[in-house]
Amino acid sequence: MKTLMSSSKQTSMMSRIITIFVGIVCSLLLQDASASVVSTGDFSKDFFVNWSPSHVNTSLDGTTRSLTLDKDSGSGFLSNDKLLFGQFDMKIKLIPGNSAGTVVAFYLTSDEPNHDEVDFEFLGNVVGQPYTLQTNVYIDGFDSREQRIKLWFDPTKDFHTYTILWNIYQIVFMVDWVPIRTYRNHKDKGVAYPMKPMGLQVSLWNGESWATNGGKDKIDWACSPFIASFKNHKIDACVWEQGPESCWAGGPDKWWNNERFNSLTWAQRRLFRWARKYYLTYDYCQDNQRFNNTLPQECLLPKY
C-alpha cells in the first residue's frame, strides 16, 4: 500500500502519537506489574541454545546476543520455561544489506505435532527493497493466518522493540508499542484460540524457498555470514510448571489477564488503524480467492 501523506509529515505525526501512547502504556503497566517478571535480562540464564552453538554469540554480561546464518547452518535459542499467557519483548536489529532468502523469527511455540504458535517472521530482501514482517497464528497445528506489513523504518539501522501480548482475551502484536495485529479469543463463537503452554524461541534460518518474492530471490552466499542481533529481552509471564491453574487468574502478578487488557485502548486503536491503513500488504482475511469466498470465521468478528 502506498503512503498517502508526505514522509516528513507522516514521521512527525507518528512521533507525536507514539510519545503520547507510550506514556499511557507505561503508566498502566507500572500500576499493574509486580513480581511476574520471569526474565533476568541475561540471555545465558533465561534461554538455552537449541541450534548450532557455534553460530550463537553472547556478550560477557549476557545482555546482548547475535545469531549467524551461513552455508553450514542457521542458529537459534529457546526459553528455559514453558509459559501460558504474558507479555514478551525483544529488541532486534535485522540483517543489513542483501538479506534475501533469510528469515529471522521471534515466536512462541508449544513445539509438538498439533502445536500452537504465535509468530513474528522477518523476511529478508534484496538491497533497495524493504523487509517484510509476517505474523502468523497456529492453533492445533493449523496456520493459514498470515498477515504482512512493511515497516515505517529501516529495521537494519538500529534496534526496535517487538512485542507479543498473549492473554485470556487476545493476542496483540506490537512494533515499538504500535499494535499491528490482533487475534481475539472468540472461543465462545466457535473460533479456535491458542491455549497450550509455549516456549519463547528465536531463530535465524534459510527460507529462500518461499521467503523473498515467493522464493524467486535466493540467498546470495557471497554476502554471508548473515547476522541478526538481540538485546533487552523481557519475559513477563506465567510459568506453566509452577502451577498451570494459576495462569488463568488475574491480579497484580498476572496483570496481563486483568480486564483492562481485554481490548485495545483508544490510543492503541488509533495506532492500529494507522499501521494497517498505510503499511499492511497482505491479510488472509481479505483473501477471498484463497478461501473460495468463505473467509475464516474470525475474519468476520471484531478485532478489538
Side-chain angles (χ1 to χ4, degrees):
M1 294 185 178
K2 294 183 179 179
T3 304
L4 302 182
M5 63 179 72
S6 71
S7 177
S8 60
K9 287 183 179 179
Q10 186 176 335
T11 300
S12 177
M13 176 185 293
M14 191 60 202
S15 177
R16 291 196 298 270
I17 293 172
I18 288 179
T19 299
I20 295 169
F21 171 69
V22 170
I24 294 171
V25 170
C26 289
S27 65
L28 290 176
L29 296 188
L30 287 173
Q31 289 175 34
D32 278 347
S34 181
S36 57
V37 177
V38 173
S39 53
T40 66
D42 187 332
F43 281 98
S44 300
K45 294 179 180 178
D46 297 333
F47 299 89
F48 66 94
V49 175
N50 63 337
W51 184 13
S52 190
S54 64
H55 288 58
V56 180
N57 293 292
T58 308
S59 63
L60 290 176
D61 62 3
T63 60
T64 62
R65 173 167 283 180
S66 66
L67 295 180
T68 298
L69 167 67
D70 58 25
K71 276 190 173 182
D72 295 326
S73 180
S75 50
F77 54 93
L78 175 65
S79 64
N80 294 324
D81 298 308
K82 286 282 190 178
L83 309 152
L84 182 63
F85 307 129
Q87 182 166 295
F88 311 86
D89 307 324
M90 183 76 71
K91 282 189 176 290
I92 304 173
K93 183 163 68 172
L94 296 174
I95 301 162
N98 187 351
S99 57
T102 68
V103 179
V104 176
F106 168 56
Y107 60 110
L108 293 162
T109 179
S110 62
D111 196 24
E112 56 193 4
N114 295 324
H115 69 295
D116 288 354
E117 190 169 301
V118 180
D119 295 341
F120 273 114
E121 292 179 310
F122 303 90
L123 312 183
N125 217 328
V126 296
V127 174
Q129 296 299 315
Y131 260 86
T132 292
L133 171 52
Q134 174 170 285
T135 57
N136 204 352
V137 177
Y138 288 70
I139 306 168
D140 292 329
F142 294 98
D143 60 339
S144 299
R145 300 180 180 91
E146 303 94 340
Q147 292 186 8
R148 302 186 192 107
I149 69 166
K150 303 296 185 185
L151 296 165
W152 49 92
F153 53 83
D154 184 345
T156 72
K157 297 296 186 182
D158 202 353
F159 287 90
H160 292 268
T161 303
Y162 302 91
T163 298
I164 299 170
L165 171 65
W166 171 40
N167 62 25
I168 59 177
Y169 309 106
Q170 62 178 345
I171 297 167
V172 183
F173 297 83
M174 290 179 274
V175 177
D176 288 338
W177 306 110
V178 176
I180 62 165
R181 178 179 183 176
T182 62
Y183 186 88
R184 292 197 60 76
N185 184 351
H186 288 300
K187 285 183 72 70
D188 60 333
K189 297 178 176 65
V191 176
Y193 188 76
M195 292 291 191
K196 297 182 177 73
M198 296 192 275
L200 182 62
Q201 190 157 343
V202 180
S203 60
L204 169 56
W205 48 284
N206 178 352
E208 66 178 0
S209 64
W210 65 276
T212 307
N213 195 17
K216 294 177 182 178
D217 294 322
K218 305 297 185 181
I219 290 180
D220 182 356
W221 293 110
C223 298
S224 67
F226 302 99
I227 300 174
S229 302
F230 309 86
K231 69 176 184 178
N232 293 11
H233 67 279
K234 184 177 179 183
I235 304 172
D236 207 2
C238 183
V239 177
W240 174 255
E241 291 83 356
Q242 292 180 359
E245 65 285 345
S246 70
C247 293
W248 293 85
D253 64 340
K254 307 288 190 305
W255 60 263
W256 51 85
N257 279 339
N258 289 343
E259 191 173 357
R260 67 169 60 184
F261 298 100
N262 69 354
S263 185
L264 300 183
T265 66
W266 66 267
Q268 287 179 311
R269 295 177 189 190
R270 182 177 179 184
L271 289 168
F272 178 80
R273 292 191 295 267
W274 174 86
R276 295 177 69 80
K277 179 177 180 179
Y278 293 110
Y279 296 102
L280 183 71
T281 61
Y282 177 80
D283 182 353
Y284 76 108
C285 282
Q286 299 174 3
D287 196 340
N288 282 290
Q289 183 177 357
R290 177 181 182 182
F291 295 102
N292 297 315
N293 293 316
T294 305
L295 293 173
Q297 187 177 356
E298 67 267 16
C299 297
L300 310 177
L301 296 170
K303 300 295 186 291
Y304 47 74

